Amino acid sequence: MAAAGALGAAAFASAAEASSTAPHGHRPPVPDPTAGVTRTLLQENPSPAKGWKTVQTLVEIPRRKESGRHSHPGVEVGYIVRGDVSMEFDDGTTRRLRTGDPFFIPSGTIHNARNIGTVTTMMLSTYVVDETKPLVTVHTR
């Protein structure tokens, strides 16, 4: 088992930063809706299937913030530890999740978790992913 550590929102921040300022400073910066979102690595282990790994994280999304549109190279099985989330999918569906709700996101599905509650949302997410690919791929419009 890998030692616990922080997987900050760097993947999310890079996309948000790229869209927050225009070339040559013609527009004022746009506030980053993903600022403060964190992903703390709890454990990472080989999967029984060759070429795959299991990763477990604690995702925290502050009030009025969101994860940003992203996908994973495998399935995500999650549980809302605390808070209220609007889970928005690129196919147009939205699912409201509250404290105690489980969720499942298929491999490659583009989604965004938006905190719609009054506290920092905490989600326990376990992924079974292709070990050769990054855990998170950010998608911009």
Side-chain angles (χ1 to χ4, degrees), residues 44-47 49-55 73-74 128-135:
E44 183 173 357
N45 295 288
S47 170
K50 186 175 179 168
W52 294 81
K53 65 181 176 181
T54 56
V55 179
V128 179
V129 293
D130 181 331
E131 68 184 8
T132 66
K133 296 182 179 173
L135 179 62

Side-chain angles (χ1 to χ4, degrees), residues 70-77 87 89 91 95 103-111 127-129:
H70 65 284
S71 63
H72 308 284
V75 298
E76 176 180 359
V77 180
M87 191 70 72
F89 299 91
D91 69 1
R95 185 168 170 216
F103 62 93
F104 177 85
I105 300 175
S107 180
T109 300
I110 299 173
H111 58 288
Y127 311 87
V128 179
V129 293

